[in-house]
Amino acid sequence: PNGINIERFLEIDSQILQYMENKKLLNVFPLLCSPVNILPRKNIEYSLEVVAHLRKTYPTLKYLITGKPSRHRDTEEYLYKIKSLIGQLNLRDTVLFLSDDLSDSLSDQELHDIYSISDIILYFSKSENFGIPILEATLTKNPIFVSDLAVFHEIAGSLLEYVDTTKVTPQETAEKITTYINTHPTIPLH
């Protein structure tokens, strides 16, 4: 057949490919991803509001959160807050928690696969000690929108798309992402 076997070509792990096929993630645009655990400092609520605004332009978009609630911290209340916000923003069919279907921690290969099929990474933490997901996303050539933290500037200088989440509204961030997509044609082509 005239085409590419995505599993073979991108060397996608069969479990991740099965997840993608079950959730029909290979046919959506854009696929946004936050490689974060469910912790208040990860500022997932900001990303959710951005996603709600982006969905007006991209009705088929999906937003994947790769992490899970921390075992070491009481995150049940935060997860409840996040799920309530998902309902309020009418995003139940848009937001996916990878941990709802895959209980084990992701291997490096599986995480690489998630990055490989994602179109844009959202990482709007309120604080970070370092930011490994930024390095991971960079190695897979994903565009990354991050909060304006000093540690992220230390990692990547001016090479990331920074957003001051304390001053810039989610709608303005969604507009920035839309402009980015419209000026980088390889993203829709991907």
Side-chain angles (χ1 to χ4, degrees), residues 121-138:
I121 305 301
L122 303 181
Y123 200 72
F124 296 124
S125 294
K126 294 177 184 175
S127 67
E128 285 293 335
N129 293 327
F130 185 67
I132 293 287
I134 290 173
L135 298 179
E136 293 167 341
T138 300

Side-chain angles (χ1 to χ4, degrees), residues 2-140:
N2 225 357
I4 293 178
N5 180 312
I6 292 175
E7 180 180 15
R8 254 195 342 251
F9 189 78
L10 294 178
E11 298 178 347
I12 295 178
D13 177 84
S14 60
Q15 177 175 289
I16 297 298
L17 184 66
Q18 186 65 50
Y19 176 82
M20 297 295 166
E21 288 174 346
N22 289 346
K23 301 296 183 181
K24 299 182 179 16
L25 297 181
L26 298 173
N27 300 320
V28 302
F29 182 77
L31 175 58
L32 308 174
C33 177
S34 284
V36 298
N37 284 323
I38 314 300
L39 298 167
R41 71 181 172 89
K42 298 301 183 178
N43 202 14
I44 295 169
E45 59 272 29
Y46 187 87
S47 294
L48 290 173
E49 293 199 31
V50 169
V51 167
H53 288 289
L54 282 170
R55 203 174 66 161
K56 295 170 190 170
T57 305
Y58 305 104
T60 66
L61 84 77
K62 295 288 184 189
Y63 175 49
L64 180 63
I65 300 169
T66 64
K68 52 181 108 179
S70 172
R71 296 180 208 163
H72 306 292
R73 296 180 178 93
D74 181 19
T75 56
E76 189 174 310
E77 186 177 315
Y78 184 63
L79 182 58
Y80 177 78
K81 176 183 174 182
I82 292 302
K83 290 196 173 186
S84 293
L85 183 58
I86 289 169
Q88 292 167 24
L89 296 171
N90 197 24
L91 295 174
R92 283 190 184 95
D93 294 331
T94 302
V95 178
L96 301 165
F97 292 91
L98 191 63
S99 63
D100 286 349
D101 296 287
L102 304 177
S103 58
D104 294 335
S105 294
L106 295 175
S107 69
D108 286 345
Q109 177 61 44
E110 291 169 329
L111 192 54
H112 176 270
D113 296 343
I114 297 290
Y115 283 114
S116 292
I117 59 148
S118 297
D119 296 302
I120 293 175
I121 305 301
L122 303 181
Y123 200 72
F124 296 124
S125 294
K126 294 177 184 175
S127 67
E128 285 293 335
N129 293 327
F130 185 67
I132 293 287
I134 290 173
L135 298 179
E136 293 167 341
T138 300
L139 288 172
T140 55

